[in-house]
Amino acid sequence: MAKILTITNQKGGVGKTTTCVNLSASLAATRKRVLMIDLDPQGNATMGSGIDKHQIESSSYEVLIGDKTAEESIIKTECGYDLIGANGDLTAAEVELLQLPRREFRLKMALLPIQDRYDFILIDNPPSLNLLTVNALSASAGVIIPMQCEYYALEGISSLVGTIEKINKRLNPMLRIEGILRTMFDPRMSLTKDVSTHLVEYFGDKVYRTVIPRNVRLAEAPSHGLPALQYDKSSRGSLAYLALAGELIRRTEQEQRDKKNDQKTEQESV
């Protein structure tokens, strides 16, 4: 069954979509079966995957309101992963969801029939806390939080952690922070080092060892409708996301081993 991860931060411009697209491509490059879901009405993750958001016949909007199934909405991309795309239609979903039953769980229910097809499902979100983001958090096992190492980012992450804790208590007891990802990292800046140190002190091993550097190729790739891995596979940005994919896979495999060991211990103690 797929591990479903939400990539979110209530602060904009921190590399959420860049991370979702490039991590999806990097996981796919390691032969993992990946589905990326675009839940941002701007549709940037869709366009960054080489899909024209204006030409989508069935998007995440139709999936959420129940007009189409997730299976009917899957698009095969040339980036190695599958996609359920988004466009401006998704803006209307927030209003329509208010009238629908189990409005916080629409995405979770829609994904149940296709979860076994994938190893990872990654969800890109708008930079705000709304019903779209709540649907993503309710459907996910973990949250990846991309953030810049700057002062205001520390304030923003405390708010996001509070939101995750509320969702955990009220809607999804399985939800937890999967990892903190330091993006647009510039080690030459003393503030970057200071904030990075504070993050590690507070979140410990939740902070990924991999850091994503400021990189021109990462910024250029979306305009070509490509992940950086396909635009320039030797760039520092591409290599960083490949390293992140490896770190995520290792963590996931370790979790699975720990879970099996715990189950075995429980059975032996009965």
Side-chain angles (χ1 to χ4, degrees), residues 20-31:
C20 200
V21 170
N22 287 287
L23 182 54
S24 294
S26 296
L27 288 168
T30 67
R31 305 277 180 99

Side-chain angles (χ1 to χ4, degrees), residues 218-233:
L218 280 178
E220 292 175 345
S223 65
H224 296 271
L226 294 170
L229 189 61
Q230 290 185 299
Y231 180 61
D232 184 352
K233 64 182 180 181

